[in-house]
Amino acid sequence: DGGITQSPKYLFRKEGQNVTLSCEQNLNHDAMYWYRQDPGQGLRLIYYSQIVNDFQKGDIAEGYSVSREKKESFPLTVTSAQKNPTAFYLCASSIRIGGFGYGYTFGSGTRLTVV
Amino acid sequence: QKEVEQDPGPLSVPEGAIVSLNCTYSNSAFQYFMWYRQYSRKGPELLMYTYSSGNKEDGRFTAQVDKSSKYISLFIRDSQPSDSATYLCAMSSNDYKLSFGAGTTVTVRA
């Protein structure tokens, strides 16, 4: 079955540590996204990528980094510069036809907690 | 002011009731409108997709868009306990990026 796989489901980070969240899709979608979800704030865009080897900052990119070396993969690194990383992280992908992405397909998310 | 405003609720209704959800927005360039459903600790899933103004119906779900008022709605008829979830509105102009509302948490009581 086609879909998006995020791993791990739960992740614990110590202060000052970098961690990487994995996102893999087998939908042959061109675009991929990372969102952060906090209670009462909805989804906020961290980074997005429209094609391989290209990505753009979203609204809250500080303290995060990404890479897009393969169409299927879009890993997110939460660096020690991110001061409040505890959140639910969602990866998504979309296909673009006629100039618009027809909605997103989301992964099941990774819950990151700082300990 | 947020680009997309959505009342977070929570909203609690008895089984069989009509659930009414809505969002307002400020960007007049938005022309693609979506509703997502998110169960606890899961990723959102696309429920309804609407282009421009008008109504769209899919089973028990009806989505309405009023671009003149910058207002969109989702109605759930004959609500079931399995409809208990957080509902997120999302919208976009003509590029890849979606702008999301904060989500409304709905509980349908059996």
Side-chain angles (χ1 to χ4, degrees), chain B residues 11-15 19 37-40 45 60-61 76 79-87 104-110:
Chain B
L11 192 60
S12 180
V13 300
E15 184 175 357
V19 177
R37 177 174 62 195
Q38 185 177 23
Y39 292 113
S40 182
E45 56 179 332
R60 297 184 295 111
F61 298 90
I76 308 173
S79 57
Q80 305 295 312
S82 59
D83 294 326
S84 298
T86 295
Y87 291 82
T104 301
T105 300
V106 174
T107 300
V108 180
R109 308 185 307 271

Side-chain angles (χ1 to χ4, degrees), chain B residues 91-106:
Chain B
M91 46 200 80
S92 177
S93 55
N94 204 21
D95 58 23
Y96 286 164
K97 293 188 297 178
L98 295 182
S99 295
F100 286 86
T104 301
T105 300
V106 174

Side-chain angles (χ1 to χ4, degrees), chain A residues 10 31 33 35 37 40 42 45 48 50 88 90 96 99-100 102-104 106-108, chain B residues 2 32 34 36 38 41-44 46 49 88 92 94-98 100-102:
Chain A
Y10 299 95
Y33 314 78
Y35 281 86
Q37 188 174 33
L45 183 63
Y48 67 104
Q50 298 184 10
F88 190 50
L90 286 161
R96 188 177 191 185
F100 175 69
Y102 280 68
Y104 290 0
F106 282 91
S108 294
Chain B
K2 291 182 181 179
Y32 301 92
M34 282 140 276
Y36 285 82
Q38 185 177 23
R41 301 187 187 89
K42 299 290 186 184
L46 182 65
Y49 172 96
L88 300 151
S92 177
N94 204 21
D95 58 23
Y96 286 164
K97 293 188 297 178
L98 295 182
F100 286 86

Side-chain angles (χ1 to χ4, degrees), chain A residues 37-75:
Chain A
Q37 188 174 33
D38 297 280
Q41 294 203 47
L43 275 65
R44 291 184 290 168
L45 183 63
I46 304 173
Y47 268 98
Y48 67 104
S49 168
Q50 298 184 10
I51 57 172
V52 174
N53 293 322
D54 185 60
F55 48 83
Q56 285 78 43
K57 292 182 178 180
D59 301 317
I60 55 165
E62 185 175 350
Y64 300 97
S65 66
V66 294
S67 63
R68 186 88 186 275
E69 297 176 1
K70 298 186 300 181
K71 187 176 185 178
E72 302 77 23
S73 179
F74 192 41

